[in-house]
Amino acid sequence: MSDSSFNRRWAQVIIEVLLRHQVRHVCIAPGSRSAPLTLAAAKSALTCHTHFDERGLGFLALGLAKGSRTPVALIVTSGTAVANLLPAVIEAQLTGERLIVLSADRPPELINCGANQAITQPGIFSHFAHRCDLPRPTPEIDARWLAAALDEAIAAASTGALHVNCPFAEPLYGPEDNAWREWLASLDAWMQQSIPWVTHSAPESHTQQSDWPAWRQKRGVVIAGKMRPEEGAVVARWAATLGWPLLADIQSQTGQPLPCADLWLSSPQAQQQLNQAELVVQFGTRLISKRLLQWQQQARPQQWWLIDALPGRRDPASQPGRRIVSEIGSWINAHPAMAATPWAPTLATLAASIQRQASAAVGNTPEALLAHRLAELLPPDGALFLGNSLLVRLTDALAQLPVGYPVYCNRGASGIDGLIATLSGIQRAQARPMLALLGDISALYDLNSLALLRQLAAPLVLVVINNNGGRIFSLLPTPVSERERFFTLPQSVSFAPAAQMFGLDYQHVAAWASLQQAVEQGFLQQGGTLVEFSVAPDSGAETFARLVAMGATL
């Protein structure tokens, strides 16, 4: 039993290091080889979350990291349990959320010899995660080494996921006793504190570009991509003061002062105005609008400045200019705006015109109407989660949301996997009401994660827009004769049995007025409500295509 006790001591050090790096949540999947880590986490100050599906568990952790803005740990057992975390690890690598994956493993003598549930785990996430491969626990290794090695690995993995592979030899279970207490003695003083083993200096805040006073007097355009709610409000004020048009993504939380940009950006008048820009300042990345991405490709300003807190290339158009790694708020504080009148007033006229036309055009199309009037469904002091594919494009093109209202998406790899788990994690981290919108295929993909919506700290309304398939493919030049069979994949299902299976309140609606009522009722409930919104299969895609064509003629 002394071996099981030492495994517990080893795991205890790992958990203590996590706590001192601001980890507050840990997501745990059931498993035997991971028992030392699980038992150590359960005894600690960490908030423990569980899920029976490791793929969903990974996205639950991703959502917790998004909502809390802190690193989140995961504990899984050996074998394919680890492999199921790959989609969430990829998303974290692309969008910067910090995940710390603790994968239990067989000891080296049980690898590549036919032992049960034993695979080669080190490096399983390839370049999508940082690595820290721990040795098999042994008292011959000083506890100070373990604390220092893990501390350094976490500090070095400042964005994305860190994979910590943790081999454990049996026995894994046993009574908790005082065995191996002397091995921990060298950490006694540190364990009385709340600081990391080594304090790493944070980078200095960004200083002003020396030529900013000259550039701010020129014709500029501001692009707002994915950013935090408080940053969106600051960017909107900054652009308005400068008199520069703001082309805002739905993820920017800027209030989209020039709404429906995806519809009017391709119009000749818009192109003529925007092509006069001398400087483009882009905050955040992961843009949704196809028309905005197309303009980004063909625009030729003198300079393109891209400001984002994540390092690396973030510009698919490869524009020349400046790549500035900085928090957005800090950068704007160092680059004050100088008040000026708008230099491109035509854009405001175009935006107002197409917004009026869109309001009339979507009247008989429930899916497009939902996107256009989305702000009316938002709960006060709440949050919004948007799925991918057709839904997020409709919303980006048609919705105008309140300034600073939190909007969340998984727009790293833009996948449809793990969306229910992600939104569950965000809401757990924030404990505020949430409206979530997903397509039917996305919801089916993560159906297991409806189990995570059974215990909530605040109301959550999940609206599944059931247009019977992946209707994003109706916007693409897929062969009509093969579209249903190989692309849209209609499933002709009802989500009522799924809601019943997981104990969720359920309503089925097919019209805008009924949807409004169902959502309002859902926010009066403490738990989760699944609202199935059935719409004609291709009506949303067809309306979107008509609106885009209409905008191009302005």
Side-chain angles (χ1 to χ4, degrees):
M1 291 304 169
S2 61
D3 286 343
S4 69
S5 295
F6 188 76
N7 283 340
R8 292 279 288 274
R9 297 298 185 197
W10 186 273
Q12 180 185 350
V13 175
I14 293 173
I15 298 301
E16 292 292 342
V17 173
L18 296 185
L19 285 165
R20 284 156 181 79
H21 279 272
Q22 306 306 310
V23 177
R24 296 295 176 263
H25 298 272
V26 58
C27 297
I28 304 173
S32 183
R33 189 63 54 168
S34 53
L37 292 167
T38 296
L39 296 173
K43 192 178 178 182
S44 74
L46 292 172
T47 300
C48 298
H49 307 264
T50 60
H51 194 22
F52 53 82
D53 175 351
E54 282 89 357
R55 185 180 69 183
L57 187 82
F59 282 101
L60 173 65
L62 181 79
L64 285 162
K66 285 177 181 286
S68 67
R69 301 181 187 176
T70 59
V72 174
L74 299 100
I75 295 174
V76 297
T77 193
S78 62
T80 57
V82 192
N84 276 296
L85 300 178
L86 179 58
V89 166
I90 291 173
E91 185 70 17
Q93 189 261 346
L94 292 170
T95 56
E97 284 80 23
R98 297 184 65 192
L99 303 181
I100 302 174
V101 176
L102 305 177
S103 61
D105 199 358
R106 261 57 179 171
E109 65 268 21
L110 295 182
I111 304 299
N112 294 326
C113 64
N116 181 51
Q117 204 173 317
I119 66 172
T120 303
Q121 292 179 189
I124 193 171
F125 298 126
S126 185
H127 60 279
F128 294 110
H130 304 272
R131 279 178 62 181
C132 176
D133 300 325
L134 295 179
R136 172 180 177 157
T138 172
E140 295 177 2
I141 295 177
D142 195 314
R144 292 164 60 90
W145 177 90
L146 178 58
L150 186 55
D151 175 273
E152 175 64 24
I154 295 174
S158 58
T159 66
L162 168 66
H163 177 207
V164 184
N165 200 55
C166 310
F168 288 102
E170 295 183 355
L172 304 169
Y173 304 94
E176 189 170 3
D177 53 32
N178 290 321
W180 302 108
R181 181 66 190 81
E182 68 280 2
W183 181 78
L184 284 177
S186 63
L187 305 182
D188 282 348
W190 173 70
M191 284 192 175
Q192 300 305 312
Q193 306 174 58
S194 59
I195 59 174
W197 188 256
V198 174
T199 300
H200 297 261
S201 299
E204 296 181 3
S205 60
H206 198 82
T207 56
Q208 186 185 100
Q209 301 286 300
S210 60
D211 52 354
W212 171 242
W215 277 110
R216 68 183 178 181
Q217 300 181 58
K218 297 181 182 291
R219 293 187 298 272
V221 170
V222 179
I223 293 178
K226 176 181 177 290
M227 63 184 72
R228 296 174 177 176
E230 65 273 16
E231 294 171 337
V234 169
V235 167
R237 290 194 299 269
W238 187 78
T241 302
L242 286 165
W244 292 2
L246 173 59
L247 308 180
D249 192 280
I250 194 72
Q251 305 169 88
S252 70
Q253 287 117 147
T254 58
Q256 298 90 35
L258 295 174
C260 305
D262 190 46
L263 303 183
W264 55 259
L265 266 171
S266 58
S267 79
Q269 291 187 72
Q271 295 287 313
Q272 188 273 333
Q273 284 270 279
L274 289 171
N275 288 339
Q276 297 178 44
E278 298 166 283
L279 171 67
V280 174
V281 179
Q282 178 179 340
F283 298 101
T285 58
R286 301 294 169 189
L287 305 174
I288 295 169
S289 165
K290 183 176 182 179
R291 264 55 60 182
L292 181 52
L293 289 169
Q294 288 172 339
W295 182 75
Q296 185 183 32
Q297 286 283 348
Q298 62 87 27
R300 294 296 181 265
Q302 296 174 32
Q303 286 271 300
W304 193 293
W305 296 1
L306 198 161
I307 298 95
D308 191 85
L310 294 181
R313 288 190 62 189
R314 316 285 290 172
D315 172 23
S318 301
Q319 288 281 358
R322 303 177 191 178
R323 173 66 178 93
I324 302 165
V325 179
S326 172
E327 294 290 342
I328 292 171
S330 300
W331 192 89
I332 285 183
N333 287 337
H335 297 78
M338 184 176 68
T341 56
W343 68 266
T346 300
L347 300 183
T349 303
L350 291 173
S353 175
I354 195 64
Q355 190 176 41
R356 288 192 299 270
Q357 294 181 51
S359 182
V362 303
N364 296 320
T365 310
E367 193 172 0
L369 188 62
L370 164 61
H372 183 57
R373 299 179 63 178
L374 177 58
E376 299 175 32
L377 300 180
L378 300 176
D381 299 318
L384 171 67
F385 184 90
L386 295 172
N388 284 321
S389 297
L390 177 61
L391 171 68
V392 76
R393 288 167 173 81
L394 276 170
T395 307
D396 183 66
L398 294 172
Q400 187 172 27
L401 305 182
V403 176
Y405 197 91
V407 179
Y408 296 94
C409 305
N410 279 0
R411 293 299 297 176
S414 300
I416 64 169
D417 46 347
L419 297 179
I420 295 175
T422 302
L423 67 90
S424 171
I426 294 168
Q427 211 231 18
R428 290 186 183 202
Q430 298 185 341
R432 61 168 65 186
M434 174 179 281
L435 174 67
L437 307 180
L438 300 184
D440 54 303
I441 299 297
S442 297
L444 286 171
Y445 207 139
D446 199 24
L447 207 62
N448 283 350
S449 292
L450 288 176
L452 298 172
L453 305 185
R454 291 182 292 193
Q455 296 179 334
L456 301 173
L460 186 149
V461 177
L462 170 59
V463 178
V464 176
I465 297 92
N466 193 342
N467 54 15
N468 201 22
R471 298 298 160 179
I472 185 65
F473 294 106
S474 298
L475 291 175
L476 303 174
T478 51
V480 175
S481 60
E482 305 293 352
R483 184 175 294 163
E484 295 284 294
R485 182 183 179 193
F486 291 110
F487 296 93
T488 59
L489 298 181
Q491 298 300 303
S492 303
V493 297
S494 165
F495 285 86
Q500 182 182 22
M501 179 169 65
F502 290 106
L504 303 177
D505 289 335
Y506 171 84
Q507 293 200 50
H508 179 266
V509 298
W512 165 252
S514 302
L515 175 64
Q516 280 184 305
Q517 185 177 22
V519 170
E520 289 174 4
Q521 291 176 354
F523 284 122
L524 298 177
Q525 309 294 326
Q526 186 58 33
T529 300
L530 194 160
V531 178
E532 184 173 359
F533 186 30
S534 294
V535 299
D538 286 319
S539 60
E542 291 169 352
T543 300
F544 186 33
R546 286 197 304 272
L547 289 170
V548 170
M550 185 187 304
T553 64
L554 291 176

